Amino acid sequence: MSYFPDWGIWIQAAIVLVIPIVMIKAGKDLNLYVRSTARGQKSGKQPAPNGNTNQTNEQDIQLTGCYDSDIQHIKNSIGQNSDVHFREFLIGGMNNKASIIYVDGLADSDLINTHVITQLMKEGVTEEAESKLRSGENFKSYLKQNLLPVAEMMETNLFMDAVEKVLSGYTALLVDGIAEVMFVSAPRGMQRNAEEPVSEALIRGPRVGFTEKLGDNTGLLRVHGRNSSLQLTQYQVGNRVKKDLVVAYMKDIADPQLIDEVKKRIEQINIDDPLESGYIEQLIEDNWLSPFQQTQNTERPDRVIGALLEGRVAILLNGTPFALIVPVTFSMLLQSPEDYYERWVWGTFIRFVRYAAAFLALLAPALYISFISYHPGLIPTKLALTIINTREGVPFPSIIEALIMELAIEILREAGIRLPKPVGPAMGIVGGLIIGEAAVQAGIVSPFLVIIVAVTAISSFSIPSYSAGITLRVLRFAAMFSAALFGLFGVIMFFLLMCSHLVRLKSFGVPYAVPMVSYKLSDWKDFFVRAPLFMMKKRPSMPGGRDKDRMR
C-alpha cells in the first residue's frame, strides 16, 4: 500500500524524472560551452582580477645590480615577515656587499653556513676575486664555479620572481654588482616518511605510499617505474600561491592526443591556490554535474605505475599525497592492486564480491522499501509473515523508517572520522549498536530494517575507492525516494537512468562504462573476471596509445 496520494503521482514523476534529466543535459551543455570558450581564447598574460595592469608591470621589474636599491626593494616587497632573514656580509673581506635571504624553518641552515657564507667570507679568495669583481658577469661565473659547492642553483633577474621563490623556501644570494639573484638551495621544509597508505590498505603488496613532498613522489615513480620512457612534465598552478604540479606518462605508450588534452586543461586552471589535488580534479573533469568521479585518486605508487603502463596519465601536486589518474572508468573504481598480486581465481572471486557489495550498497534499502510498500506479494510467505511481525507497532512508513536509520549511520560515520583516532572507531561501533538496539526497543524501526542498513553500510566499506563509496551512498538516497514513489518500477527506472548516464559520461574522451560497452571482447579479461596474467597480452584498447603489446 502506498503512503502517497494518487493525485500527486504526475507531479512526483516530474520531480523524479524530468528535473534531473534537464539538469544533467544543461550541465553538460554549459560545461562544453565553458571549455570551448576557454580553448578559444588566445594565450597570453591575464589581467589582474580588478582590471588593473599594475600587477603585470610589477612582475616585469628587474634587478639593477646596485646592492642597496635591490636589497631595499626586496625588503619592501616581502614586507614585515619576521621569519624571513637577511644575513648581510662582505665577500672575502672586501667592501663588496652580499646578502643571504632565507625563510626560517624552510631553509637548510647547515648548508647556508658551511657551503655558502663560510666559502664567500674566506680571506683566501680576496686577491683572486678582486680582478674578477670588476666585471659582474665574470664574477658571477667565478662564484658558481669556484666558491659555491652546491648541487642546485637557479637565477632570476626579476624582483617578484625572487620574492616568490624566497617565500617558497629557496635560499637567495644577492651580490653587489650582479643584476641577478642566485638561489643556492631548494626548500627543505618538514618531511614525512613514506608509510603505508591509510585509505588503500592491502594484505599483500608494497608498504609504501606517496607523501606531501612532490620530489619524494616523483622519486617513488622513478623507483617503481625504472624506464627511460617515463616522462615527468612540471607546471606551476595557482595565481597567488603557486604550487608545482607534475604530469607523468609513458611517452611510447600513452596517446599523444590524451597527453595534449591533459596539458591543455592543466594550463587553463585559474585559481588563487589549489590546496589539494581535489581542486585539480574538479577543475579538469568533463561533467561537473555528474555524481561520478571522472578521475581516480590514489596514494599508491604501484597503482600509478600500473595505470601509466596501460596508457593513462597521472597528475601529482605538491603538498598532497593523493595523485590523480586519467582517464578513469567505472570498473577501475572497483579494482584493487591486490587483485593482480594474488592468483587469478582469488582475484576473480573478490571482484564478484565487490560488484555484489556495490549493488547492495546502492539498492538494498530501496528494494526493501519497494517490497514492503508496494509489492509484499513478491516476498515468500514465511518471510513476509516474519517481516510483518517485526514491523508490528512501527508508526512510520518504510521510507521514513529507512531514512531515520540511514541518516543515523551517516552521522555516526562522519563523527567517527572527525573524532580522535583512539576514540573514533569505538564511538562508531558502540554508537551504532546502542542506536540500533534503542530504536528497535522503542518501536521506531523494525529489526529487519536494522539488518538491511547494517549490510548496506558494510557493503559500502568494501569499495576500494573511498570517493566511489561516497557516490554510491549519495545515490542510495535517490534510489530510496524512487522506490517510495513508484515501488519496484521506480527502482528499475532509477537504475536504467543511472546506466544511461554512465554510458553517456566520458573521462577525457574515454567512455566511462568501458569495457562494459567495449566492442573488443578481449578487454573483458580484466573486467568481471581477472584472467591469468599470461592471457592478458594486450593493453586496454580504450585509453588509446601506440604500443598495444603488454607481453612479447
Side-chain angles (χ1 to χ4, degrees), residues 28-240:
K28 184 176 181 180
D29 294 341
L30 178 59
N31 190 58
L32 292 175
Y33 171 75
V34 171
R35 291 196 180 282
S36 61
T37 304
R39 293 172 187 171
Q41 294 178 351
K42 295 182 180 179
S43 60
K45 294 183 179 179
Q46 296 181 353
N50 58 0
N52 197 342
T53 59
N54 290 335
Q55 183 177 359
T56 303
N57 296 334
E58 184 73 14
Q59 296 284 349
D60 296 334
I61 298 179
Q62 299 182 357
L63 281 82
T64 62
C66 179
Y67 176 83
D68 293 331
S69 62
D70 289 345
I71 195 67
Q72 187 62 39
H73 195 127
I74 292 177
K75 289 182 178 180
N76 294 337
S77 300
I78 290 179
Q80 300 297 326
N81 288 301
S82 59
D83 58 336
V84 181
H85 298 283
F86 293 81
R87 173 64 169 90
E88 301 187 39
F89 57 93
L90 299 179
I91 295 180
M94 299 180 300
N95 294 326
N96 297 91
K97 301 177 182 179
S99 178
I100 290 290
I101 311 170
Y102 63 96
V103 176
D104 188 19
L106 296 181
D108 189 345
S109 58
D110 293 335
L111 185 145
I112 295 173
N113 294 331
T114 305
H115 299 288
V116 180
I117 296 180
T118 302
Q119 292 292 328
L120 295 179
M121 295 181 66
K122 282 183 178 180
E123 292 291 342
V125 302
T126 304
E127 296 180 359
E128 189 176 0
E130 188 175 1
S131 61
K132 297 181 179 294
L133 188 59
R134 303 182 185 276
S135 174
E137 187 66 27
N138 293 336
F139 185 64
K140 184 181 69 173
S141 301
Y142 177 77
L143 284 176
K144 296 167 60 176
Q145 297 175 7
N146 299 86
L147 299 183
L148 297 176
V150 294
E152 300 181 48
M153 182 173 291
M154 296 184 296
E155 304 172 6
T156 183
N157 62 346
L158 300 178
F159 275 108
M160 293 308 299
D161 190 17
V163 171
E164 290 175 359
K165 286 190 177 298
V166 168
L167 296 178
S168 300
Y170 287 89
T171 301
L173 171 63
L174 181 65
V175 179
D176 189 14
I178 299 178
E180 289 180 345
V181 173
M182 291 174 285
F183 303 98
V184 294
S185 68
R188 184 189 62 176
M190 301 298 295
Q191 298 183 11
R192 178 172 65 90
N193 295 329
E195 303 171 349
E196 183 177 1
V198 178
S199 61
E200 296 174 281
L202 299 181
I203 301 299
R204 182 176 182 177
R207 306 293 182 182
V208 63
F210 289 131
T211 66
E212 286 76 15
K213 188 176 179 181
L214 183 61
D216 294 344
N217 298 340
T218 54
L220 287 174
L221 287 186
R222 288 293 183 190
V223 171
H224 285 264
R226 190 174 299 174
N227 193 317
S228 59
S229 176
L230 177 59
Q231 298 292 307
L232 303 177
T233 305
Q234 185 167 329
Y235 294 87
Q236 275 197 340
V237 292
N239 296 334
R240 293 188 178 274

Side-chain angles (χ1 to χ4, degrees), residues 451-469:
I451 297 175
I452 295 294
V453 173
V455 171
T456 303
I458 295 174
S459 299
S460 64
F461 285 121
S462 66
I463 308 300
S465 174
Y466 178 74
S467 300

Side-chain angles (χ1 to χ4, degrees), residues 18-19 37 94 125 259 345 374 434 436 482 551:
V18 177
I19 294 179
T37 304
M94 299 180 300
V125 302
I259 298 172
V345 177
Y374 287 89
I434 293 176
S482 299
M551 297 183 182

